[in-house]
């Protein structure tokens, strides 16, 4: 192999290796960063939000989109959550939903069908139990 | 006068220019796809990845690196004698290739979008990186560069049966049969488990055309672009059925038909199933099936 060809060969190997180190190093860096950022998370940090503005009224019912996000430090194998509808301090409606599996920082979206218009009533989510994998 | 001849053993010189680098990489990718994609098409792999913490993912990647290093040392995916730090570098490259492949596959399957956390993505890549990286690291064994597709070893049944040059049409039927066998072998290992139903419900409909295109590209790469012996001969054929593009498309059609047939046999779809369900399941299953079909064609 000529001197020039040998140099090209070495350069190509070095470039490929550097790119590979960048990919693997990037993976390791992100994993370490995520490991630090999730270590201090709330042990029961499931967050439930209702998208009131996107509610659809149909057949005398209100389809209210909701999202449950897992801010805990580990995945959730199962969780039972109560959706409660309040008129002031008086509970008007209640229903249980079950989350089957929710990884860390993942979100599950769904629709809750209520008899009450979320524009006039307060919708709350209450965590009842949580099961870790 | 006697002259002593010192016979030196010859070793394949490593040709390390850019084209060799790319060919070795592509061949490694082809091998990684063959070994790793069936694992990706197991929904338990997804769920396991979803449950991993970032620390678990790091440990798993470390394990994958150790495994890949051992495989690279004994087999490898690069041409020529490798020594010293080159083994360590090759293992890093195999692992990086595996991660890129998995990123592309999960992207095509619509698994890297809104609602997916970075931890989930890390976990899924970590779980599947071992088999894919291992597949890349054993490319020299699984898809050897000097394999002869139409010149079987003397004594092989194929060699004993062969009495003259194969006609183009004979080659076509031989390859079609090999593609059916390869695709069927893989489909029979995926369909009975019914993981496909869970995967199908997770993959957005709009991503299926990308999966179809990827199936075609990977099949082409495995058979024509990975630098196997006989590849140049194949590219010089000029029959209608022998053109690389035509042959790749025909092999994909075979993979689609085999996938559809297996889904029907195991009752995963029926005549009454909605067309969308048939479409989703068939295209999804045809992705790994097309790779197995390509491997089958290489084995002829």
């Amino acid at each position: 192999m000529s001197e020039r060809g040998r140099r090209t060969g070495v350069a190509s190997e070095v470039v490929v290796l550097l790119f590979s180190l960048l990919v693997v190093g990037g993976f390791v860096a992100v994993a370490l960063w995520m490991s630090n950022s999730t270590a201090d998370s709330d042990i029961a940090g499931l967050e439930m939000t209702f998208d009131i503005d996107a509610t659809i009224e149909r057949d005398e019912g209100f389809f209210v989109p909701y999202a449950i996000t897992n801010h805990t430090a580990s995945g959730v194998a199962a969780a039972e959550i109560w959706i409660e509808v309040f008129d002031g301090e008086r509970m008007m409606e209640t229903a249980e939903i079950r989350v089957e599996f929710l990884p860390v920082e993942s979100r599950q979206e769904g629709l809750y069908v209520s008899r009450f218009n979320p524009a006039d009533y307060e919708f709350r989510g209450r965590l009842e139990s949580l099961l870790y994998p | 006068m006697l002259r002593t001849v010192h016979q030196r053993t010859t070793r394949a010189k490593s040709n390390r220019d850019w084209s060799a680098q790319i060919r070795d990489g592509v061949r490694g990718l082809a091998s990684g796809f063959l070994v790793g994609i069936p694992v990706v098409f197991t929904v338990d792999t997804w769920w396991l990845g979803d449950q991993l913490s970032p620390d678990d993912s790091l440990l798993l990647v470390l394990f994958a690196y150790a495994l890949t290093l051992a495989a690279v040392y004994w087999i490898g995916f690069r041409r020529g004698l490798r020594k010293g730090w080159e083994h360590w570098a090759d293992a890093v490259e195999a692992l990086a290739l595996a991660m890129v492949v998995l990123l592309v596959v999960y992207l095509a399957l619509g698994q890297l979008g809104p609602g997916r956390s970075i931890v989930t993505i890390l976990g899924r890549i970590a779980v599947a990186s071992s088999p894919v990286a291992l597949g890349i690291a054993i490319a020299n064994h699984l898809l050897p560069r000097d394999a002869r597709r139409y010149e079987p070893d003397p004594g092989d049944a194929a060699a004993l049966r062969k009495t003259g040059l194969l006609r183009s049409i004979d080659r076509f039927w031989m390859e079609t049969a090999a593609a059916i066998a390869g695709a069927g072998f893989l489909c029979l290992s995926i369909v009975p488990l019914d993981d496909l139903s869970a995967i199908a419900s997770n993959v957005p409909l709009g991503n299926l055309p990308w999966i179809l295109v990827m199936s075609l590209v990977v099949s082409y790469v495995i058979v024509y672009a990975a630098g196997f012996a006989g590849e140049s001969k194949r590219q010089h054929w000029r029959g209608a059925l022998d053109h690389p593009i035509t042959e790749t498309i025909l092999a994909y059609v075979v993979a689609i038909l085999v996938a559809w047939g297996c889904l029907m046999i195991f009752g995963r779809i029926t005549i009454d199933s909605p067309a969308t369900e048939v479409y989703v399941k068939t295209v999804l299953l045809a992705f790994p099936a097309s790779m197995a079909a390509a491997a089958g064609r290489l084995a002829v």
Side-chain angles (χ1 to χ4, degrees):
Chain A
M1 190 185 282
S2 69
E3 181 63 24
R4 189 179 169 187
R6 197 172 60 81
R7 254 186 270 151
T8 310
V10 172
S12 66
E13 281 221 358
V14 169
V15 170
V16 171
L17 179 59
L18 284 178
F19 177 74
S20 304
L21 284 172
L22 199 69
V23 172
V24 178
F27 182 95
V28 172
V30 172
L32 285 174
W33 175 61
M34 289 307 295
S35 176
N36 286 331
S37 63
T38 55
D40 303 326
S41 302
D42 186 359
I43 195 164
L46 280 190
E47 182 192 44
M48 184 167 199
T49 53
F50 294 93
D51 189 357
I52 306 297
D53 296 336
T55 300
I56 299 167
E57 186 179 357
R58 189 177 295 165
D59 300 332
E60 297 180 359
F62 296 89
F63 290 66
V64 189
Y66 67 82
I68 301 165
T69 313
N70 177 13
H71 294 303
T72 64
S74 70
V76 169
E80 287 173 333
I81 295 170
W82 284 92
I83 294 177
E84 296 165 341
V85 181
F86 286 89
D87 180 10
E89 286 306 309
R90 185 176 165 212
M91 189 187 291
M92 306 298 293
E93 184 180 78
T94 181
E96 188 189 32
I97 57 166
R98 187 177 166 84
V99 177
E100 281 305 325
F101 183 71
L102 205 56
V104 179
E105 293 301 329
S106 285
R107 194 173 57 179
Q108 181 176 301
E109 294 175 349
L111 278 176
Y112 175 65
V113 185
S114 174
R115 290 179 290 123
F116 299 95
N117 187 346
D120 304 326
Y121 296 85
E122 187 186 358
F123 281 58
R124 294 180 199 166
R126 181 172 61 82
L127 178 67
E128 189 184 61
S129 72
L130 195 131
L131 193 70
Y132 290 112
Chain B
M1 184 180 172
L2 280 174
R3 197 173 59 177
T4 309
V5 177
H6 295 283
Q7 195 171 8
R8 297 174 65 184
T9 53
T10 56
R11 281 171 172 160
K13 283 182 184 172
S14 57
N15 183 6
R16 297 175 193 173
D17 60 9
W18 277 108
S19 65
Q21 290 278 351
I22 292 167
R23 288 209 157 196
D24 284 344
V26 169
R27 203 159 53 89
L29 274 181
S31 179
F33 263 111
L34 286 173
V35 175
I37 292 305
V39 179
V40 174
F41 269 76
T42 311
V43 82
D44 287 338
T45 308
W46 296 21
W47 288 341
L48 188 61
D50 291 349
Q51 291 174 35
L52 288 186
S53 70
D55 293 341
D56 294 334
S57 300
L58 275 176
L59 270 177
L60 214 52
V61 164
L62 195 67
F63 170 73
Y65 181 74
L67 205 63
T68 309
L69 184 62
V72 157
Y73 181 79
W74 292 109
I75 303 166
F77 66 102
R78 292 214 179 280
R79 193 177 196 186
L81 184 66
R82 311 290 287 171
K83 52 190 175 185
W85 69 272
E86 291 172 333
H87 291 123
W88 297 84
D90 284 357
V92 172
E93 287 167 26
L95 196 56
L97 271 174
M99 286 176 173
V100 172
V101 162
L102 289 167
L103 208 63
V104 171
V105 170
Y106 281 130
L107 199 66
L109 292 172
Q111 298 303 304
L112 305 181
R116 302 265 172 220
S117 71
I118 296 173
V119 177
T120 304
I121 296 164
L122 290 175
R124 287 189 179 182
I125 290 176
V127 167
S129 62
S130 286
V132 177
L134 199 63
I136 293 168
I138 61 166
N140 280 341
H141 176 75
L142 192 68
L143 301 172
R145 187 186 293 268
D146 57 352
R148 296 285 188 274
R149 297 191 56 203
Y150 293 103
E151 294 165 26
D153 291 337
D156 280 6
L160 295 172
R161 234 180 271 125
K162 190 175 144 186
T163 53
L165 283 174
L166 284 171
R167 289 177 302 150
S168 180
I169 193 72
D170 294 333
R171 279 202 303 257
F172 169 75
W173 286 118
M174 217 160 94
E175 291 218 350
T176 304
I180 291 170
F185 177 76
L186 193 125
C187 287
L188 290 175
S189 68
I190 291 180
V191 178
L193 301 175
D194 199 26
D195 283 17
L196 206 62
S197 297
I199 291 173
S201 63
N202 272 295
V203 177
L205 207 58
N207 284 55
L208 290 171
W210 293 110
I211 293 166
L212 197 152
V213 169
M214 196 191 284
S215 306
L216 286 167
V217 170
V218 175
S219 300
Y220 177 87
V221 164
I222 289 176
V223 180
Y224 290 102
F228 301 108
E231 174 195 310
S232 55
K233 188 163 77 177
R234 293 174 63 79
Q235 293 195 347
H236 282 101
W237 295 341
R238 283 294 175 262
L241 296 173
D242 294 335
H243 192 276
I245 302 291
T246 321
E247 200 183 304
T248 302
I249 292 170
L250 281 174
Y252 183 68
V253 171
V254 166
I256 282 273
L257 290 174
V258 171
W260 178 81
C262 284
L263 288 167
M264 287 290 284
I265 288 168
F266 285 93
R268 304 302 180 206
I269 54 172
T270 61
I271 294 292
D272 301 324
S273 295
T276 312
E277 186 190 352
V278 175
Y279 166 65
V280 171
K281 286 185 173 176
T282 309
V283 169
L284 277 175
L285 186 60
F287 180 41
S290 62
M291 288 173 218
R297 287 153 66 207
L298 279 176
V300 173

